[in-house]
Amino acid sequence: SGGQDGTVRKWHIQSGKCVLVMRGHEGEVNAVDVTADGLAVFSGGDDGSVRKWNTETGAELLKLVGHEDWVYCVQVSVDGQTVCSGGGDYRGDNTVRLWNGTTGASSQVMRGHTDDVSAVALNADASLVYSGSWDKSIREWDAASGECLRT
């Protein structure tokens, strides 16, 4: 889970107890997504960063920087190689971004929403990106080219 205190927490489901706290965000954590193998978690926060954490040790593995504003949503692909994030706020970033989940390199910036991006999703092979925004639109994007295919 992500919290207002800037932490990402791992919980033991049966006991309901927190078993690991990951610290590093400067501001609230708005989104988290765990890799399919459970070895890493990605988080997005008010500090404009997306971070990758080791779920066993709590170590920060990557810090992905590019959003100008808050990151509201994050999704990692099934294979863990692609990370998608969406953001926005007062500076008007309103972008959907793709990142390499291993190196942290930015691979695509998709522009077109006119308000905060509040939801993102990748299809099974991460070739398509879907985004929802407070501008009341849903967009489908080609991950390779960054082109908006449908609104």
Side-chain angles (χ1 to χ4, degrees):
S1 65
Q4 291 180 326
D5 62 357
T7 65
V8 175
R9 294 175 184 264
K10 178 179 174 181
W11 300 88
H12 186 267
I13 292 176
Q14 284 77 23
S15 71
K17 294 184 180 182
C18 179
V19 295
L20 185 64
V21 179
M22 294 158 263
R23 291 181 171 84
H25 279 286
E26 298 170 17
E28 294 182 23
V29 175
N30 302 313
V32 295
D33 195 23
V34 180
T35 57
D37 61 12
L39 298 177
V41 62
F42 287 86
S43 60
D46 284 359
D47 59 4
S49 72
V50 174
R51 296 176 192 239
K52 180 180 181 180
W53 309 90
N54 179 304
T55 57
E56 294 301 314
T57 66
E60 184 179 301
L61 303 174
L62 292 172
K63 180 179 178 183
L64 316 178
V65 178
H67 283 283
E68 296 174 21
D69 298 317
W70 299 346
V71 176
Y72 287 114
C73 45
V74 173
Q75 187 184 19
V76 60
S77 62
V78 174
D79 64 6
Q81 295 302 304
T82 304
V83 179
C84 184
S85 59
D89 201 35
Y90 62 94
R91 291 185 189 144
D93 180 31
N94 307 331
T95 59
V96 177
R97 294 176 183 258
L98 294 179
W99 314 86
N100 181 299
T102 303
T103 67
S106 175
S107 59
Q108 199 62 259
V109 179
M110 292 162 271
R111 300 180 193 282
H113 284 293
T114 59
D115 208 340
D116 301 352
V117 176
S118 55
V120 292
L122 296 164
N123 71 334
D125 67 359
S127 63
L128 295 172
V129 178
Y130 299 89
S131 59
S133 169
W134 294 352
D135 66 11
K136 301 180 184 173
S137 73
I138 298 171
R139 293 177 181 253
E140 178 183 60
W141 308 86
D142 179 86
S145 69
E147 177 186 354
C148 182
L149 304 173
R150 291 191 282 180
T151 301

